[in-house]
Amino acid sequence: MIGLALRVGAALVLLALAWHFANGDAALERLAQADWRWLGAAVLAVNLQTVLSALRWRLTARALGQRIDRVQAVGEYYLAQLVNQTVPGGVLGDAGRAVRARHSADLLRSGQAVVIERLAGQIALAAVLLPALALTGHGLWALGLLALGLGLVVGTRALPRLRALLTPLRRALAGRDVRNRQIALGFAIVVANLASFAFCAYASGTALPLAAILTLVPLILSAMLVPLSIAGWGWREGAAAALFPLAGATPEAGLAASAAFGAVLLLSSVPGLFWLAWQHQRIRTA
């Protein structure tokens, strides 16, 4: 209960601070006038990202000797997204899909497949961010190092587990029979992820240049990794309000784009409810 209170409290405090310092009233006005066509494009991009991520999970699991049906992979990924968007911590949904998929392998391999798939997402995002920072400059190296340092601090507790993952990690991501597909899926997922945020920015009246999409947006999304929140709310909005001026936009523009993105993520996880209902019906009629 204390952990839940801390996460909820931190999210609310950060949102209040972002609202205060980034002119929340102006951000709300932007959201009220949002272009629904761009928001629709953002929803499509997020759903594409979810489906591709499910396929990456299936590919990763198969490389580790675990068989997951394509429909099951997509349904379970949507359900995991729904849990991650509504329950504090951001990882309970992924833990749940690992447990539910263990019927085709032992729990260790099932858990490894989930962890490696999530790690592959961060690796792909970094593979886009770091070259973009090197090419664009504009003082963003310091911000990139700050985000990297934050990620290291957050991941310190997981280091012993990561060492145990080295062998399955090489097999699942760098194996000869999966390497090219992992690269293609990783790139496509990052593009969909960045595009969805950029579409939310367009919807709220801000046209981000490509350089900003490749540098600022990954940093904003990385703020969601901080576990002291619910689905990244608060940290993401604060990062967007702080970073948007580097692209020539206003803090309220960043706040509006980030809030729209959060709403799109939540809306796009709703299919998880249908998967849960279908699974429940199957159990009842079995």
Side-chain angles (χ1 to χ4, degrees):
M1 288 298 294
I2 295 177
L4 174 60
L6 283 174
R7 289 185 174 93
V8 173
L12 291 176
V13 168
L14 289 168
L15 284 171
L17 289 173
W19 181 276
H20 176 73
F21 290 106
N23 195 350
D25 290 335
L28 191 61
E29 186 176 346
R30 282 175 173 267
L31 290 174
Q33 299 175 357
D35 188 331
W36 290 97
R37 293 170 297 181
W38 281 115
L39 290 177
V43 170
L44 290 176
V46 169
N47 280 276
L48 175 61
Q49 174 194 348
T50 300
V51 172
L52 292 176
S53 296
L55 296 180
R56 180 171 62 188
W57 174 39
R58 182 171 180 262
L59 175 65
T60 302
R62 188 166 60 183
L64 298 178
Q66 180 184 18
R67 297 286 177 175
I68 302 176
D69 179 77
R70 184 179 290 106
V71 173
Q72 179 193 3
V74 173
E76 287 292 340
Y77 215 98
Y78 268 109
L79 180 56
Q81 294 287 73
L82 176 64
V83 175
N84 287 344
Q85 288 296 313
T86 54
V87 177
V91 296
L92 289 179
D94 298 303
R97 65 181 163 104
V99 171
R100 288 188 299 273
R102 72 187 188 281
H103 67 276
S104 57
D106 55 80
L107 185 57
L108 175 62
R109 273 189 295 173
S110 185
Q112 287 176 339
V114 169
V115 171
I116 290 173
E117 188 275 324
R118 286 295 300 266
L119 183 59
Q122 301 308 313
I123 292 172
L125 190 62
V128 171
L129 171 62
L130 294 180
L133 286 174
L135 290 173
T136 57
H138 302 301
L140 290 178
W141 269 110
L143 293 171
L145 292 175
L146 179 61
L148 179 60
L150 179 61
L152 290 175
V153 170
V154 171
T156 296
R157 295 181 180 178
L159 285 178
R161 298 178 183 177
L162 288 179
R163 293 191 190 101
L165 277 176
L166 287 179
T167 298
L169 189 67
R170 286 193 294 266
R171 186 187 311 147
L173 299 185
R176 184 177 301 176
D177 55 337
V178 297
R179 183 188 310 145
N180 291 338
R181 281 177 289 175
Q182 286 283 14
I183 292 173
L185 281 170
F187 178 75
I189 291 167
V190 169
V191 169
N193 200 8
L194 299 184
S196 60
F197 191 96
F199 292 158
C200 288
Y202 293 147
S204 55
T206 304
L208 290 175
L210 180 60
I213 295 172
L214 295 178
T215 54
L216 300 184
V217 174
L219 292 174
I220 293 168
L221 299 180
S222 296
M224 296 174 63
L225 297 176
V226 179
L228 195 63
S229 179
I230 300 176
W233 282 97
W235 295 99
R236 179 185 58 232
E237 284 65 43
L243 292 175
F244 260 50
L246 294 176
T250 60
E252 61 263 27
L255 178 59
S258 183
F261 181 70
V264 164
L265 287 179
L266 182 59
L267 176 63
S268 299
S269 67
V270 169
L273 286 175
F274 298 104
W275 174 256
L276 182 63
W278 185 66
Q279 289 294 90
H280 180 67
Q281 183 64 29
R282 283 185 59 190
I283 293 173
R284 289 186 59 185
T285 57

